[in-house]
Amino acid sequence: MGQEAEYGLVDLEEVETPGDEWEEIDVSDTEADRIARKRDREFEQFEERIKDADQFKVEQSVFDDATFAALYKLVQDGYVEAFGGPLSTGKEANVYHALGDDREVAVKVYRINASNFRQMRDYLEGDPRFEGLGGKKKDVVLAWTKKELANLDRARKAGVRVPEPIAAERNVLVMEYIGNEEGRARRLGEVHIENPETAYGVMREYMRRLYAAGIVHGDLSEYNVVFDEGQLVIIDVGQAVTVHHPNSRDFLERDCENVASFFARQGLDADPDELLEFVTSPEPDPSRD
């Protein structure tokens, strides 16, 4: 693999080969919904503590009872022990730093009243894992959360460095924290790349592995890749679709354009058409649906 090892390219001999079947994703009520309906004293005390915490005060208007119940359930199950401050804020989700059982974790909380709800549906419709998904905002956001968990798992099995998925409850996802005591890992567009040719080689290989595993990122750029301890890590895979999605080709072409354009600005002869040809050869296993 040559110099790609400098950027932590995962050895395919050490990873699990993804299976041919996608797990159907259930968006029915979770334990968090049942906890929210029951509202016992312990849950109400937890909800008040979270609402009073500085890092959550701004979110009270968009967190419903079931979201607080999801956080409560994850604490009960031992996935989260203490919450820290926000790592990032966005229109569809906020990500918080937290302490897990034996390590730091990132807790991603998707808003049920996401402002880009219709765009979420565009990525879900046509994905075989979500056939028959209704139009309720809650169902779409819950599906999106479980979709990101499944995409992270599939990417890791394909030998792509992504945050390790840990747990999901309703609209809350717990995953590996990528960063150190100084803060979150910096995005590719925020750092000086000493060897852009090597970094581009890793990105090309990761895109190819994703495609061979049957998925397309759909929003890949220098803003969704971070540099952490000598490794390139792909993040924000919630919108990733299967290769059978009706718009998967358009999404892949856009990813190739974004990645090639970024590395062209780093002085490389990076061509999006050549990248597309590299990523799609060989074709993914057609049995993956």
Side-chain angles (χ1 to χ4, degrees):
M1 295 186 184
Q3 289 186 318
E4 281 82 352
E6 177 186 341
Y7 286 89
L9 188 60
V10 178
D11 189 344
L12 283 177
E13 294 181 359
E14 298 178 359
V15 302
E16 180 182 348
T17 301
D20 290 338
E21 299 299 327
W22 285 100
E23 179 182 355
E24 183 178 351
I25 295 180
D26 181 13
V27 295
S28 58
D29 279 2
T30 69
E31 181 63 21
D33 293 285
R34 291 185 281 274
I35 290 172
R37 287 193 294 267
K38 184 178 179 182
R39 296 191 62 83
D40 62 19
R41 180 177 297 179
E42 287 188 5
F43 165 60
E44 290 182 349
Q45 291 174 342
F46 173 85
E47 185 178 20
E48 286 304 312
R49 287 200 307 271
I50 293 294
K51 284 184 176 180
D52 288 340
D54 289 340
Q55 68 267 36
F56 287 100
K57 282 181 179 179
V58 70
E59 301 301 328
Q60 290 186 38
S61 62
V62 293
F63 281 14
D64 60 7
D65 286 344
T67 298
F68 287 113
L71 295 170
Y72 176 68
K73 180 67 166 54
L74 289 164
V75 170
Q76 281 189 321
D77 290 344
Y79 294 115
V80 179
E81 291 187 354
F83 291 99
L87 295 170
S88 65
T89 59
K91 292 181 179 180
E92 65 185 31
N94 281 10
V95 183
Y96 297 92
H97 190 201
L99 179 64
D101 183 25
D102 59 355
R103 58 176 168 171
E104 295 172 283
V105 297
V107 179
K108 191 170 190 175
V109 182
Y110 279 100
R111 294 184 177 89
I112 296 300
N113 294 318
S115 60
N116 57 352
F117 165 76
R118 294 186 184 277
Q119 185 179 357
M120 282 183 167
R121 284 204 60 90
D122 292 340
Y123 284 96
L124 291 170
E125 290 178 345
D127 190 316
R129 295 170 290 179
F130 302 95
E131 291 181 358
L133 181 67
K136 294 182 179 178
K137 282 188 177 182
K138 186 199 82 169
D139 289 348
V140 171
V141 176
L142 265 61
W144 191 271
T145 306
K146 292 188 175 182
K147 179 171 180 268
E148 180 156 19
L149 184 78
N151 288 341
L152 286 169
D153 184 59
R154 176 57 66 102
R156 279 175 61 84
K157 289 178 178 178
V160 177
R161 180 70 174 98
V162 294
E164 177 189 352
I166 297 173
E169 180 65 42
R170 201 173 183 270
N171 57 317
V172 181
L173 172 65
V174 181
M175 56 189 163
E176 174 189 4
Y177 168 67
I178 307 295
N180 54 38
E181 63 278 359
E182 296 179 358
R184 66 166 177 81
R186 298 176 68 185
R187 301 179 189 275
L188 197 58
E190 299 173 331
V191 299
H192 170 69
I193 304 174
E194 293 184 0
N195 191 335
E197 185 173 358
T198 299
Y200 185 46
V202 172
M203 284 299 302
R204 282 162 52 92
E205 181 62 25
Y206 278 170
M207 293 176 69
R208 187 176 193 174
R209 291 181 185 183
L210 284 174
Y211 188 75
I215 54 178
V216 172
H217 187 284
D219 191 28
L220 193 58
S221 72
E222 66 270 25
Y223 302 107
N224 285 326
V225 181
V226 299
F227 186 75
D228 179 59
E229 297 183 352
Q231 292 185 321
L232 297 182
V233 185
I234 293 178
I235 61 172
D236 293 337
V237 300
Q239 74 292 317
V241 300
T242 73
V243 294
H244 296 286
H245 189 285
N247 297 323
S248 65
R249 184 73 176 192
D250 291 339
F251 294 155
L252 180 59
E253 289 177 356
R254 184 175 63 191
D255 285 353
C256 290
E257 181 68 38
N258 289 339
V259 171
S261 294
F262 172 75
F263 282 100
R265 294 195 297 274
Q266 310 305 310
L268 297 186
D269 183 17
D271 179 74
D273 293 332
E274 186 277 331
L275 177 58
L276 179 65
E277 182 179 357
F278 175 84
V279 170
T280 56
S281 179
E283 290 291 317
D285 185 343
S287 66
R288 293 190 177 118
D289 53 10

